[in-house]
Amino acid sequence: MIAIIDYGLGNLFSLQSSLKEIGCDVMVTRDPGEIKAADRLILPGVGAYRDAVRLLKKDGIGELVKSQAAEGKPLMGICLGMQLLFQKGFEYGEYEGLGLIPGEVRDIRERIPENLKVPHIGWNELILKDNNHPLMKGLKDGDFVYFVHSYSAVTPEENIIAATEYGAELTAAVARGNVTGCQFHPEKSGQVGMKILRNFAEM
């Protein structure tokens, strides 16, 4: 069973529909018992880092996610959910994330040319950094996925399994042990996204 964690932000039901389409047992929940009983966890997210941090603290959901990851349960963050896996984010101030992957989440305008639009919205190519990682199984350089973001993770190279080019090389997917994340939306990324979700379900 895959539990999509409902902490108040995220494309919960489109993600749930995509997982059901590939034959996964999946539920949307914020119930601690159901989260603990699940085989895998997905932390989604759409919106601002500041708001997400506040919501994760409510009812101890963030601490529960951290403890489940510490026990070795596969966890995938998506979009803002991926950003929350890091130590800090700097959207509307400075806020502590879950600290599951070393690094910070910073405004992409610090790195990209001024003429490029922010947020970065649309289809963009993947640059694979670790073809052998289970989450990237069956993917290739140049596969397109769908992004909507203004902030990007800055993390040591060993944590990056895919990047994308948008005026600069930006982090697209990360992994550290049983914790993984995608800056893009697999549930909006056609067959490539479905493959990634299937890979996660098989990890």
Side-chain angles (χ1 to χ4, degrees):
M1 175 66 73
I2 297 175
I4 301 170
I5 299 168
D6 179 10
Y7 63 97
L9 292 173
N11 289 330
L12 304 174
F13 296 103
S14 60
L15 179 57
Q16 183 183 35
S17 296
S18 295
L19 287 161
K20 283 183 175 178
E21 192 175 323
I22 58 172
C24 294
D25 289 327
V26 58
M27 60 182 167
V28 174
T29 184
R30 62 177 292 110
D31 178 84
E34 292 180 336
I35 291 169
K36 289 176 183 175
D39 302 308
R40 291 167 178 77
L41 304 177
I42 295 181
L43 186 66
V46 174
Y49 199 96
R50 173 192 62 190
D51 300 333
V53 167
R54 177 178 55 81
L55 288 167
L56 278 176
K57 287 180 179 175
K58 192 176 177 184
D59 301 328
I61 292 291
E63 288 302 315
L64 178 57
V65 171
K66 286 171 68 172
S67 69
Q68 292 294 291
E71 290 176 14
K73 186 173 290 185
L75 166 66
M76 179 165 67
I78 293 176
C79 196
L80 176 59
M82 183 196 100
Q83 296 177 0
L84 292 166
L85 302 176
F86 291 89
Q87 292 163 309
K88 284 184 183 178
F90 291 86
E91 190 173 8
Y92 303 121
E94 180 178 335
Y95 300 93
E96 284 190 19
L98 295 174
L100 295 169
I101 302 178
E104 299 177 343
V105 178
R106 293 191 165 272
D107 196 323
I108 63 174
R109 283 171 289 202
E110 296 174 6
R111 304 181 62 201
I112 68 172
E114 290 182 8
N115 63 311
L116 290 179
K117 290 182 180 179
V118 177
H120 168 215
I121 300 177
W123 295 87
N124 227 30
E125 295 181 45
L126 288 177
I127 303 163
L128 298 186
K129 300 291 187 177
D130 184 354
N131 304 57
N132 296 318
H133 193 277
L135 197 67
M136 299 289 104
K137 188 173 100 178
L139 273 65
K140 61 186 185 301
D141 282 332
D143 278 341
F144 280 87
V145 290
Y146 191 81
F147 290 85
V148 183
H149 69 122
S150 303
Y151 285 73
S152 175
V154 179
T155 184
E157 199 68 34
E158 65 262 25
N159 301 319
I160 302 173
I161 57 174
T164 196
E165 181 73 28
Y166 188 65
E169 196 168 275
L170 303 175
T171 302
V174 294
R176 185 176 173 86
N178 55 301
V179 179
T180 60
C182 299
Q183 179 58 66
F184 52 90
H185 286 274
E187 76 279 9
K188 295 181 179 179
S189 297
Q191 290 306 307
V192 173
M194 290 297 208
K195 192 175 292 184
I196 291 168
L197 292 175
R198 190 176 289 109
N199 288 345
F200 175 69
E202 294 172 354
M203 281 175 59

